[in-house]
Amino acid sequence: MPAKPMNDDPEGSAPSADENGAPVNDGGTPVNGGGTPADAGGQAADAGGALAEGTRASAGGASGATAEVADTATPARGSTTPAKESTTPAKGSTTPASGSTTPDEAVTPDEAVTPDEAVTPLIRGIAVLRELTEADGTLSLSGLERATRLARSTVDRITATLARMGYVRVDGRDVHLSPRLMELGNAYLAALRLPALLAARADVLADELDESVSLAVADRDGIRFIHQATRRRAMSLSFRIGDLLPAERTAPGPLFATEWTATDWQRWRERRAADPRDLSFTAVPARKYGADARDDEMFVNRTQEAAANGWALDDQLIEPGLVAVSVPVRSPHTAGDRRPPACVASVVSHTSRHTAHSLRTTLLPRLQAAVTQMEQELDRTPLPPPGTPRSDLALWTGASKQRLGRDFIESLARGLTVLTAFGEGRPELTLTEVAQATGLARATARRALITYEHLDLVTPTGDRTFALTPRVLSLGFPPLSRTTLPDIAHPHLSDLTSRIHESTSLAVLSESGEEIQYTARVATGRVMSVNITLGTRMPAYATALGRVLLADRTIGQALLPQDLHPLTPHTITDKQRLTHTLASVRSQGYALVDEELEEGLRSIAVPIRDRSGRVVAALNTAMHASRHSLRECVTDLLPELTATATRIESDLHTAARFTHVPLT
């Protein structure tokens, strides 16, 4: 059983409320002296199913319960609008309660609109993740302190908690986003279903046209990419999955704007007035001059044309030379004649290959044909049955709190697990379902949903149900979507090298299958050590790395070189013997090579497998034969290698669920 949850009062979090409005702790236990139960207005949900913000303050709040105060002095960069106010602030929320903040964290005007029951540590943790995202995945601790305007002690506690969850890695004074953080964006993409159903067709179209193809969804008055099929050229596109662009400077924007309400248009105009140069959209170049009334009128006209034509163009609106044409992919299973866009498919090029006119006349018909196939795919694919998520996502937080003490912010960790409750077959969940999926108390899950609705990461969708919004992709997904296998492996290799005090390497098989190529390496600080540089190639048949890779691909002797040259007196040069050796490697799960590549050199390697189970790389350690006997290699080094390979695979599987992870 996990340890009893501990309150994070130093972070300014208030007690949550039970079903009657009485204050309770994260475990659902009533708080002593919490006051009297709230009236009927303090229920968790209103008649429409939304968590009613205007009636959340319990009567006990007046008798000493601490108000939650958000640290949102400066909106996170990349946010296109002010903090979402979909609900009415609780009475008295404009004045924070005494003692609600630490002495070095002053209350700002923006904090006044934060719902009383929002989880302040969770708000601050999200702010840290967004600042790291805007900094392309890496920022110093002092840089985070300046960017978030939080106290250094608070930043240290937040990063320690995120590191414990595997979402960040702290390397000295720098904080780096980790691939495991992508599980939050994966939850949104899995619930959305569109990448899983349409990505393959977008990839085929990109190959057919030899142009980049993207899929994007609406994110309020912007567009956010959910899939990219790019071409490998010297002049290539740099948009990433999760990048947010202003609607008016894109081809998909007018197509989404055809569905805007008067409120949406007003929000767009307010954002344009507040940020005329698009400085909050870090994925696009800022405007040299601020937008004016003519720009606004042009977008309105483009929206009207898109409604009439069923497609839209971007003629160098983002930057000179960049052109695009877009067609909406209409939503399936929608009642009525009008089907809103589920997403928009775009073909993107540059003017040295296509003008906007040639995109329309040459590529638009092929894009429209592909979109028709996409819509047919959506129509004929039934909705998946409700998935069965893990019910223990939050059970480890008690043990982590007990181990790390004050450095672990349990309310932040528990709040983040709420996002992982959603996924394939679970696009919309009730409060009860969220609590069941995470193992959290209903009161804790409720406060997390209140917080996420305030941050526009979760939205009410129907009868007491909630869904993730595209803004979840702003939590680290863009910089991590371009990660490579060497990027993923390197910190794990460093940890392994520090434990076993031997050099470690990662390698992949060459296209011919006859050589291995080193792609990541961490050397040990010995006088006599294995000296190999990145990019080095060696014969696969005589190396432990190569045999692990060949064992997964070899059928008979198809991939073995014609001539097996003896590199040392110990090198296996008989094909039949080598074939039997590879069969043993395949069955035992590792390869041990003793002085076959170089006399005195001993190496042991294990496989790295992708999501399908295919071996895509190999991990090894190599040393002088005098340092470890063959038996010690198996008993002492192999368990360490296997554990490290498992960690690399876990990160790889998370990163590769909706993105392509290059092996080199």
Side-chain angles (χ1 to χ4, degrees), residues 150-488:
L150 295 171
R152 176 59 179 267
S153 60
T154 302
V155 171
D156 289 343
R157 294 184 64 206
I158 290 172
T159 53
T161 302
L162 295 174
R164 177 69 173 172
M165 300 183 74
Y167 287 170
V168 304
R169 175 173 54 88
V170 181
D171 184 9
R173 297 181 179 180
D174 292 331
V175 183
H176 309 268
L177 295 178
S178 294
R180 188 173 299 178
L181 178 62
M182 296 177 73
E183 71 180 11
L184 304 183
N186 286 346
Y188 165 73
L189 294 173
L192 186 66
R193 297 178 66 225
L194 297 178
L197 295 177
L198 306 182
R201 294 194 179 276
D203 294 344
V204 169
L205 180 62
D207 291 337
E208 176 189 341
L209 302 181
D210 194 25
E211 298 289 353
S212 295
V213 174
S214 65
L215 301 176
V217 295
D219 188 346
R220 302 191 79 172
D221 61 351
I223 71 152
R224 200 176 290 272
F225 293 110
I226 59 171
H227 182 72
Q228 288 282 349
T230 57
R231 315 310 296 159
R232 298 186 62 179
R233 295 196 182 99
M235 185 177 294
S236 60
L237 302 175
S238 60
F239 292 131
R240 306 161 300 184
I241 297 176
D243 273 338
L244 179 68
L245 278 63
E248 67 275 7
R249 292 178 64 183
T250 68
L255 294 166
F256 288 124
T258 60
E259 303 293 324
W260 284 3
T261 64
T263 301
D264 295 326
W265 281 103
Q266 180 61 29
R267 182 191 300 121
W268 172 73
R269 291 187 175 91
E270 290 173 355
R271 187 262 295 169
R272 295 271 284 170
D275 183 19
R277 294 186 58 205
D278 295 336
L279 297 177
S280 60
F281 293 89
T282 56
V284 298
R287 293 176 181 269
K288 189 173 182 180
Y289 304 103
D292 55 26
R294 290 173 299 177
D295 296 311
D296 292 355
E297 183 180 358
M298 182 176 70
F299 182 57
V300 172
N301 293 336
R302 290 177 63 221
T303 300
Q304 294 171 346
E305 292 173 358
N309 298 331
W311 50 266
L313 283 173
D314 164 14
D315 190 0
Q316 307 180 73
L317 294 173
I318 292 177
E319 66 179 17
L322 184 65
V323 291
V325 61
S326 297
V327 174
V329 182
R330 300 292 178 182
S331 297
H333 315 297
T334 304
D337 296 333
R338 184 169 180 80
R339 301 169 62 186
C343 66
V344 168
S346 305
V347 176
V348 188
S349 187
H350 50 81
T351 51
S352 60
R353 295 176 59 83
H354 287 282
T355 64
H357 176 75
S358 67
L359 277 181
R360 180 175 62 81
T361 57
T362 305
L363 302 188
L364 176 59
R366 296 156 82 178
L367 173 60
Q368 290 171 321
V371 165
T372 298
Q373 294 177 333
M374 291 179 183
E375 291 177 338
Q376 292 172 350
E377 183 77 25
L378 293 180
D379 284 335
R380 65 171 169 258
T381 303
L383 296 174
T388 305
R390 289 171 50 194
S391 59
D392 61 346
L393 290 172
L395 294 182
W396 57 270
T397 61
S400 297
K401 183 69 175 181
Q402 191 173 47
R403 177 177 176 180
L404 298 181
R406 188 180 183 278
D407 288 339
F408 185 79
I409 307 175
E410 194 169 8
S411 55
L412 169 59
R414 289 186 165 193
L416 288 172
T417 65
V418 166
L419 297 179
T420 64
F422 297 84
E424 186 175 4
R426 306 188 306 278
E428 299 179 0
L429 297 176
T430 63
L431 170 60
T432 298
E433 290 170 335
V434 169
Q436 292 173 344
T438 58
L440 294 173
R442 279 175 56 90
T444 304
R446 173 174 169 265
R447 293 183 66 208
L449 289 171
I450 290 171
T451 306
Y452 285 134
E453 185 180 350
H454 169 67
L455 296 175
D456 200 29
L457 295 169
V458 164
T459 184
T461 54
D463 184 16
R464 300 177 182 271
T465 59
F466 302 86
L468 301 181
T469 72
R471 197 146 296 190
V472 173
L473 292 175
S474 69
L475 305 180
F477 214 90
L480 292 172
S481 67
R482 292 288 177 88
T483 193
T484 66
L485 181 55
D487 294 333
I488 292 172

Side-chain angles (χ1 to χ4, degrees), residues 538 542 567-568 570-571 594-602:
M538 291 185 176
L567 304 176
T568 74
H570 308 284
T571 307
D594 186 26
E595 302 188 76
E596 295 189 47
L597 179 67
E598 182 179 318
E599 291 191 73
L601 182 64
R602 186 168 289 163

